[in-house]
Amino acid sequence: VGQMNQRTRFSTILGFLKPITPFLRVGFKLFAVKQTAFNSAMSYNLANAIIGEYPDISVDLTSALVSRGNLTPIANADATIQDGTAQITWDDNTGSGSAKANDKLLLVVYNSMKGEATFETAGPDRSAGTFEIPLPANWVGDDVDVYAGFISFDGKEVANSVYLGQ
């Protein structure tokens, strides 16, 4: 059971991260020391975002990170889905900690039912406070999970992602 437990944990987190591999190259690049950003994301999420025991293992979406770093995170973010579009709003917290007005939004909209995701790695500035991203037409009626963070304009700092809910 021990090996099955470990294999299932691994395959569960792999299934969660695989659709967002290009996003993780940005979101986890600062933690990719002597490993790929993807492997860094695997390690973090295996340790922090898996719940249950074999055979009932799943990803705790509220604990998962899709970006990781020390940049000041997004503040009071909210996500709504309407007419095939996800709209994200947040407070402009420029000047709070390391937050700068020109930090770029990092966004993942994840469809766990289909194992697919749509994402943005260079969204609008932190100071914009809002963003809309179209969702695939075949997602209509599906539940989606939304994560948002920021990357500094120069790409040298990344914020931990925040889970905005389903």
Side-chain angles (χ1 to χ4, degrees), residues 80-143:
T80 55
I81 310 292
Q82 194 173 351
D83 302 326
T85 301
Q87 180 176 26
I88 316 305
T89 58
W90 63 91
D91 290 351
D92 176 9
N93 58 345
T94 297
S96 169
S98 53
K100 293 187 176 56
N102 65 350
D103 294 337
K104 299 294 182 193
L105 180 71
L106 294 175
L107 181 72
V108 171
V109 182
Y110 185 79
N111 184 327
S112 57
M113 291 168 69
K114 290 189 167 62
E116 299 171 357
T118 186
F119 50 83
E120 177 60 63
T121 55
D125 290 353
R126 185 186 293 262
S127 58
T130 184
F131 180 63
E132 289 187 356
I133 186 169
L135 302 178
N138 66 339
W139 286 18
V140 172
D142 291 356
D143 287 335

